[in-house]
Amino acid sequence: GMKSITNIWMGAVKKGRMPEAKAKGFLAAIKPTLAFEDFADCDIIVEAVPEIMSLKKEVFEAIDKHTRPDTLICTNTSGLNIDEIAAVLKDPSRCMGTHFFSPANVMLLLENVKTAKASDKTVATCMAFGKMLGKKAVLVGNCDGFVGNRMLAPYASQASTLLEEGATIEQIERVATGFGMAMGPMSLGDLVGQELFWKQRKAA
């Protein structure tokens, strides 16, 4: 929650990467809430609950009931079928994917995923949204894994196979970083959250 967000921005201040006034300005702009009613005047909403289709749909239905007809409702899913999520909205043309890579405050890549019914205005707004945030926004289609995770899947699969065949986590990590990766596949899994993959398998 707010504690984690505060730690991220104040950590950047301590490392000299951001003026304290700017960090405090970011924090002051956040209004924590547990009430969907507080979304009534939002222009764009990015949902980021765990990767469970039923949960995504439940949240989208709740957001749909408490937002303006022109509010864009986006999802941060890294691989679920966004057309299926958007189908629960009264107007699916105001939905598309906005997949921020982890950690979102560091990584520049933003996958904007065009759904079948997304309007031109929705697509243009999400691309402008990414630029406003200082991200490298790329427009991709709604397919399995989009672009980033479609490329990552065989890499992660081979890492798991190496582990099952006797290689140690340390060996796998050392080879990956030695090759030039910013972090190894096991560290990446820890960063994303291993429980996320478990929840996906359980929900399948």
Side-chain angles (χ1 to χ4, degrees):
M2 282 303 300
K3 184 178 180 180
S4 296
I5 296 170
T6 300
N7 288 340
I8 288 172
W9 292 124
M10 298 316 292
V13 171
K14 289 180 181 178
K15 294 176 181 177
R17 296 175 181 169
M18 181 181 297
E20 185 173 358
K22 185 176 182 179
K24 288 183 176 179
F26 284 158
L27 293 170
I30 300 174
K31 178 187 176 183
T33 184
L34 296 175
F36 286 105
E37 291 81 0
D38 288 334
F39 296 158
D41 198 37
C42 290
D43 295 320
I44 184 167
I45 296 169
V46 179
E47 160 278 314
V49 299
E51 298 282 78
I52 301 170
M53 180 62 81
S54 60
L55 178 59
K56 298 274 189 187
K57 290 180 177 180
E58 180 183 336
V59 170
F60 262 59
E61 287 175 336
I63 294 173
D64 200 20
K65 292 176 183 176
H66 296 98
T67 51
R68 303 189 317 260
D70 63 336
T71 298
L72 300 192
I73 306 176
C74 303
T75 176
N76 187 51
T77 182
S78 59
L80 294 179
N81 185 343
I82 305 174
D83 285 323
E84 184 176 343
I85 299 172
V88 305
L89 299 176
K90 295 185 186 73
D91 178 13
S93 74
R94 61 177 179 147
C95 173
M96 64 183 286
T98 47
H99 177 218
F100 294 80
F101 284 75
S102 297
N105 61 301
V106 175
M107 300 298 286
L108 292 177
L109 182 60
L110 167 63
E111 285 182 322
N112 280 332
V113 187
K114 186 179 185 299
T115 53
K117 296 184 178 180
S119 69
D120 291 343
K121 181 179 178 181
T122 297
V123 174
T125 301
C126 284
M127 294 302 289
F129 176 58
K131 186 176 182 180
M132 181 186 74
L133 295 176
K135 299 295 184 181
K136 302 288 186 181
V138 295
L139 186 62
V140 302
N142 182 28
C143 56
D144 187 26
F146 312 139
V147 174
N149 282 333
R150 178 171 283 208
M151 293 189 296
L152 180 64
Y155 168 65
S157 176
Q158 287 301 310
S160 297
T161 299
L162 287 171
L163 185 65
E164 291 172 358
E165 292 180 348
T168 66
I169 290 176
E170 291 77 14
Q171 287 174 325
I172 297 169
E173 293 285 287
R174 186 166 60 251
V175 169
T177 54
F179 179 74
M181 296 294 188
M183 66 173 63
M186 305 307 182
S187 295
L188 178 60
D190 286 339
L191 177 65
V192 173
Q194 297 292 352
E195 74 283 356
L196 174 65
F197 307 113
W198 174 79
K199 287 178 180 177
Q200 284 179 314
R201 291 193 299 270
K202 188 177 180 181

